Amino acid sequence: MRHRIAVVGGGPGGLAFARVLHRHGRPVTVLERDPAPDARPPGGTLDLHEGLGQLALDKAGLLAEFQELSRPEGQAMRILDTAGTVLRDWRPRPDDRANPEIDRRQLRDLLLGPLDVQWGRGVTQVVPGAEDGALVHFEDGRQETFDLVVGADGAWSRTRPAVSPVTPHYTGVTTVETSLDDVDTRHPDLARVIGDGSVAVYGVNRKLVAQRNSGGHVKVYAQFRAPLDWHAHLDPADAEAVRSGLLALFDGWAASVLDLLHHGAVFVHRPLYVLPVSHTWTHVPGVTLLGDAAHLMPPLGAGANLAMLEGAELAEAVVAAPADLDDAVRAFEERMWARAEKWAKITTAGLERLVSPDPAQAVALFDQVQPS
Ligand SMILES: Cc1cc2nc3c(=O)[nH]c(=O)nc-3n(C[C@H](O)[C@H](O)[C@H](O)COP(=O)(O)OP(=O)(O)OC[C@H]3O[C@@H](n4cnc5c(N)ncnc54)[C@H](O)[C@@H]3O)c2cc1C
């Protein structure tokens, strides 16, 4: 029996799900709110771990292409103190393929491949228990029924309320993101500070991270503990006002580090929200969640990896148990919850140490994770 399956969201999780189903010749409807693939800037580079995101790509038959595109040298990580002194300078071995980086746009295009995504199909609500499946409501007022609706629609999921009343809460840590282009030619001094991968500078309750993407593009993240309305007196569209606000917050840091903020042109405010560490729900036939929709956690290198592996595993479960879709989904959920809980604990504890009153905590965490 061929089930009517829809996935809400064409992020890493939704696309991995759809691509593995496609590999097995199973039809799937991908519903994406964005009107086109490049409707929004895609965001920074992602590191994909061997046993998580890379495993998902293997299940999709895309590992070799990923290895061609990804940047193993991007795993390099440098830590400075606020005076600009290098505390750690870790570089991967040439054959190290544990966590190579890939630009989000490249990953998306790799996963998209032959998939026929329905762009501009924002979902407003998913209602389980419809006679012949779950009913999907769209922004344009239309409705459609599917046997299984997979909510891979991220932090502010419109699918989630069908299975769980829980909503994300603010961590107390916020991020302001900016970026630099052509860093090697336009800002060679900063390029040297950043190196091949990332540089992180830890201060009291704040940090600055710069991460190299391909083509000389660099994403810069200023992260700090603050109330949600810390910028209430600032016009977020006024780049100079935001820059001054940030420079005041990072006052006293080395000029070579603050140049990361001086050269950014546009600043985007991204407060960090999370779901509870152990977010589960009573199984609802016809609807499930994966990725950030199921387990939003601090962005410490796990979210996209988990979303992709879950997408791939759910697709395989659907393929392996075509007669008993509901049992397959139940088993998938149990497995996802157990793994996500483990990572939510790790990343929550990690955020506490990386944006901490004691910056030495961040260096100690690095030494624990990446012993030289
Ligand atoms: C600064 C930063 C750095 C990060 N770095 C890493 C990293 O290195 N490694 C890592 O593993 N993770 C990283 N993450 C986390 C990672 O980005 C997320 O965990 C991951 O994108 C989640 O994937 P997803 O498919 O679940 O959701 P998303 O990527 O959020 O995708 C959801 C999709 O659903 C669509 N959508 C939303 N609502 C609707 C709707 N109502 N109807 C239809 N479509 C909808 C959206 O347009 C989007 O395309 C980082 C996060 C941040 C913020």
Side-chain angles (χ1 to χ4, degrees):
M1 177 179 170
R2 287 291 157 104
H3 293 102
R4 294 162 302 168
I5 298 176
V7 58
V8 185
L15 291 182
F17 174 68
R19 192 63 197 269
V20 173
L21 281 180
H22 182 273
R23 189 182 191 199
H24 291 277
R26 296 305 170 97
V28 54
T29 304
V30 186
L31 305 165
E32 169 54 52
R33 183 175 54 193
D34 285 349
D38 287 317
R40 280 182 298 135
T45 177
L46 291 170
D47 65 316
L48 295 190
H49 307 235
E50 246 166 358
L52 296 172
Q54 291 187 52
L55 180 55
L57 289 170
D58 196 21
K59 290 176 183 294
L62 297 171
L63 190 57
E65 281 175 73
F66 167 76
Q67 282 164 348
E68 287 292 308
L69 289 168
S70 62
R71 290 173 282 111
E73 71 281 6
Q75 298 171 94
M77 178 78 197
R78 195 170 277 166
I79 298 183
L80 311 185
D81 65 16
T82 57
T85 309
V86 177
L87 302 177
R88 299 288 183 275
D89 190 3
W90 182 85
R91 291 163 211 224
R93 293 183 317 273
D95 60 341
D96 189 338
R97 296 285 182 279
N99 305 296
E101 297 280 341
I102 185 165
D103 286 10
R104 281 181 197 249
R105 180 176 282 127
Q106 290 175 316
L107 177 66
R108 183 203 63 205
D109 290 346
L110 178 64
L111 288 167
L112 268 179
L115 294 177
D116 187 15
V117 172
Q118 298 190 8
W119 301 100
R121 295 217 75 194
V123 168
T124 55
Q125 195 188 3
V126 177
V127 182
E131 205 172 289
D132 52 353
L135 185 64
V136 176
H137 294 252
F138 293 94
E139 283 169 355
D140 61 8
R142 284 188 283 172
Q143 301 177 357
E144 213 171 318
T145 305
F146 296 91
D147 298 306
L148 175 64
V149 177
V150 178
D153 46 347
W156 302 103
S157 170
R158 293 299 192 100
T159 315
R160 192 189 300 123
V163 298
S164 165
V166 175
T167 53
H169 60 269
Y170 179 51
T171 54
V173 176
T174 194
T175 306
V176 179
E177 182 186 312
T178 188
S179 55
L180 312 170
D181 284 316
D182 300 325
V183 71
D184 299 293
T185 43
R186 290 168 68 178
H187 311 292
D189 290 345
L190 279 180
R192 274 190 290 279
V193 170
I194 297 162
D196 287 338
S198 304
V199 63
V201 191
Y202 298 101
V204 174
N205 285 328
R206 62 208 62 201
K207 67 172 174 152
L208 260 182
V209 174
Q211 196 175 35
R212 194 180 270 274
N213 292 231
S214 65
H217 184 76
V218 169
K219 288 264 182 248
V220 179
Y221 304 99
Q223 217 167 59
F224 46 95
R225 292 192 181 272
L228 255 183
D229 63 352
W230 72 273
H231 58 326
H233 60 290
L234 291 176
D235 172 4
D238 180 347
E240 288 316 317
V242 178
R243 192 194 320 279
S244 305
L246 287 177
L247 289 170
L249 274 170
F250 289 84
D251 187 33
W253 288 34
S256 56
V257 170
L258 293 183
D259 269 352
L260 292 168
L261 299 175
H262 279 295
H263 295 299
V266 176
F267 295 88
V268 183
H269 187 207
R270 297 192 197 284
L272 299 186
Y273 284 83
V274 291
L275 283 167
V277 161
S278 310
H279 178 227
T280 62
W281 55 90
T282 304
H283 174 74
V284 174
V287 188
T288 193
L289 306 175
L290 59 78
D292 281 4
H295 49 64
L296 181 65
M297 58 185 77
L300 268 76
N305 279 277
L306 293 172
M308 290 172 65
L309 184 57
E310 289 155 10
E313 286 181 348
L314 179 57
E316 286 188 342
V318 166
V319 170
D324 207 345
L325 194 56
D326 202 46
D327 273 2
V329 174
R330 273 178 203 271
F332 158 78
E333 286 170 343
E334 296 287 342
R335 194 169 175 190
M336 168 175 68
W337 291 333
R339 185 169 48 213
E341 182 183 32
K342 187 188 96 181
W343 280 98
K345 283 181 180 160
I346 293 172
T347 54
T348 302
L351 184 66
E352 286 305 306
R353 295 179 74 181
L354 293 179
V355 188
S356 149
D358 175 12
Q361 285 289 323
V363 185
L365 178 62
F366 175 84
D367 289 342
Q368 230 174 299
V369 177
Q370 202 77 276
S372 51

